[in-house]
Structures are given as structure tokens and as C-alpha cells.
Amino acid sequence: MRKPLIAGNWKMNSPDESSKVLLVNVLVHAQLLEKRILEEKDASDIDIAIFPPSVYLKEAQEILTGSKIHWGTQNVSAYDEGPYTGEISASMIRGFGCDYVLIGHSERRCLYETLELDQYVLDQIVAKKYAKAINQGLTPIICIGETAEDYAAGKTEEIIARLLDVLIEHQGPQALAQTVLAYEPVWAIGTGQSATPEWAQKVHSFMRERVAKHDAATAESLRIIYGGSVKPENAREIFAQPDVDGGLIGGASLEVEEFSEICFSAAVSTH
Ligand code: PGA
């Protein structure tokens, strides 16, 4: 059985309250959630991670150390150190007590796309970042998903297969055992229009099968989470799908009560 993961991506949002207040709030709700999970006979334990803007990492470390909640960054450099203005290396991230890092989020891919880089080149950059993250003992959450245009053209599997093949080619299939994959259709992110549970299941199962061709045991233990307009109203149905192992939550992660409800949905949807 795979332990579900709920990851909260704050993106570049500064909370209405101070980041400190929000972090404390997240912590308090996580404690309440833990109690709720213990009391619910059909619930099982989950992992929770939050991804605040990097300037709040120190606060996250101060407030969340010793708690159940993990934290991480929304990006990592493909290099160890040097003249890479604005970048943060995997070892610096580790230095802030992070366990996780997001890699290849579509909002970052779009930045590179403005440079008109080919998708295959982008996948290579993602693979380099992936290598840096795992070398530092971070758990990468690697995001992939198709645009509305690609969805309409039926290219979803092609896009996903290309990235998975690049990751496997760079690090071998076993490295995926310490990795999380996030299927995030670009058309569902921040739009309020999530994928249907059936569609998410279809794509997740394709991803698992693709990895299984190389290593069946790794594929079986690999966590594949879904992201794109997950809310308390649709979380249970999505997480109930056999190949959906939790979610990457954007907007709703800033609303602590909603986030906590989504976490609870994952706890009662184990399969
Ligand atoms: P959303 O964002 O939940 O606001 O759609 C998801 C994400 O970008 O990770």
C-alpha cells in the first residue's frame, strides 16, 4: 500500500496574514487532522508537505521542525554553485531542512518556453535538476502534464512518456523509488476545471505501466499524485482512484481549512 502524499504549493502568494501566522495555522490544523485520522477507523496515515516561497523557508523550518509536516522549495537549480543569479542549489535547500522539492512545474516550464526551448530540452533540464535533488537526499516531486491544445490533439501519453523515458535514461528506473510523480494537466491548473477522476486514473495508470516496463517493483511503490483544481468537493473521488496517491494543491493550500479537508480526503481514500 502506498502512503498518500498531499503537497501544498503556495506559489508566489503572500498570505493575507503573515507567513508566520499561516505556518502556525497549518501546524495547528495538522495536529487536529492527526487526531481526526486516529479517530476515524477507515483512515490511514498520510504525508503532508508544503512549498512556500523560498524567502519563508527559515520560518517554515523554525515552526515546522519536529512536526508531521515536511516542507520544500518550488524549484531547484540544475547546478551545484556558481554564477546562476536567482537560482538555489539542492544543498542550500537541504540546509533549510527541506525534504522535498518541486521540479518541472508547468508554471516554470512556461518561463523557459518563452525562450522557445524545445520540450525535449526542457525534459533534459528537469532530469538534471532531478539528479541534483536525489544526490542531496531530497525527494523530488516531478510535474508533468499536457496543455489544452495537446489534450485536444490526443498527445497526453506522448508528452508523459517522453519525460519518463528521459528520467529513466538519466538515473535508471530504481531512482524513481525515491521520487514522486505529479500529473498536472496544464488546462486544470488554477482554472477550477479539474480532470475527471476517470481521466486522472487513466493517465496515472499509463505512467505506472510505463515505469513497470523497466522495474515492476519500483512502479508498484511509486507515488503518483494529481494536481489541478483539487478542492474539498472533488478530492475524495479523485483520490479514490487506484493509481492516484494524493494531490498537489495550489490555490486551496492557502486556505488552511480547505487544505486540511483535502488531507483528510486522502487519509480516507487509501487503496
Ligand atoms: P491549483 O494548482 O490547485 O490552484 O489548480 C495546482 C498546482 O499548480 O500545483
Side-chain angles (χ1 to χ4, degrees):
M1 195 167 80
R2 298 177 292 268
K3 192 175 180 188
L5 167 69
I6 299 296
N9 176 10
W10 291 11
K11 310 193 179 185
M12 201 180 68
N13 293 301
S14 33
D16 293 337
E17 59 273 63
S18 76
S19 52
K20 224 175 211 156
V21 172
L22 182 57
L23 284 162
V24 170
N25 225 340
V26 168
L27 182 62
V28 169
H29 274 81
Q31 284 158 351
L32 294 174
L33 177 72
E34 216 169 346
K35 209 165 155 263
R36 197 173 162 201
I37 290 176
L38 279 175
E39 284 165 5
E40 174 75 40
K41 76 170 174 26
D42 291 330
S44 63
D45 198 17
I46 61 166
D47 283 333
I48 303 172
I50 57 151
F51 297 83
S54 295
V55 291
Y56 302 140
L57 283 180
K58 189 152 178 51
E59 283 175 3
Q61 186 175 23
E62 278 164 13
I63 294 168
L64 302 177
T65 294
S67 80
K68 198 185 154 35
I69 304 171
H70 302 269
W71 59 96
T73 54
Q74 299 169 13
N75 187 26
V76 59
S77 173
Y79 302 95
D80 289 328
E81 62 176 352
Y84 303 104
T85 304
E87 296 283 294
I88 308 180
S89 74
S91 69
M92 291 172 182
I93 291 169
R94 200 67 181 134
F96 278 94
C98 297
D99 292 318
Y100 287 85
V101 61
L102 296 180
I103 300 181
H105 190 283
S106 65
E107 287 159 11
R108 294 218 52 89
R109 284 177 178 260
C110 290
L111 299 178
Y112 285 117
E113 271 155 26
T114 57
L115 301 175
E116 294 185 351
L117 285 183
D118 178 70
Q119 287 295 328
Y120 179 71
V121 177
L122 286 179
D123 289 343
Q124 298 286 338
I125 295 172
V126 166
K128 278 192 182 167
K129 294 180 174 201
Y130 170 53
K132 296 296 175 197
I134 50 181
N135 285 343
Q136 281 297 325
L138 292 161
T139 300
I141 301 182
I142 301 186
C143 308
I144 186 69
E146 77 286 3
T147 61
E149 211 179 30
D150 289 335
Y151 175 76
K155 289 190 179 163
T156 306
E157 293 188 351
E158 181 191 320
I159 288 165
I160 289 173
R162 190 188 57 216
L163 174 68
L164 290 179
D165 292 351
V166 168
L167 297 179
I168 290 169
E169 185 190 309
H170 272 249
Q171 299 299 319
Q174 284 85 15
L176 287 171
Q178 44 172 311
T179 303
V180 176
L181 298 177
Y183 169 53
E184 293 215 303
V186 180
W187 46 269
I189 296 177
T191 59
Q193 187 207 343
S194 81
T196 61
E198 296 74 24
W199 176 257
Q201 168 55 27
K202 182 172 166 345
V203 178
H204 284 223
S205 121
F206 170 78
M207 293 166 90
R208 203 176 299 290
E209 276 166 25
R210 188 93 188 174
V211 176
K213 283 196 183 129
H214 299 268
D215 184 330
T218 298
E220 186 50 35
S221 65
L222 175 64
R223 290 192 289 187
I224 308 176
I225 62 177
Y226 167 81
S229 297
V230 177
K231 303 275 178 255
E233 301 76 45
N234 59 18
R236 272 194 201 207
E237 246 197 302
I238 296 173
F239 299 158
Q241 301 303 311
D243 286 298
V244 179
D245 307 310
L248 180 50
I249 319 300
S253 71
L254 289 160
E255 305 295 331
V256 181
E257 270 157 36
E258 283 192 23
F259 186 64
S260 175
E261 205 47 50
I262 291 171
C263 289
F264 187 70
S265 302
V268 292
S269 308
T270 40
H271 27 74

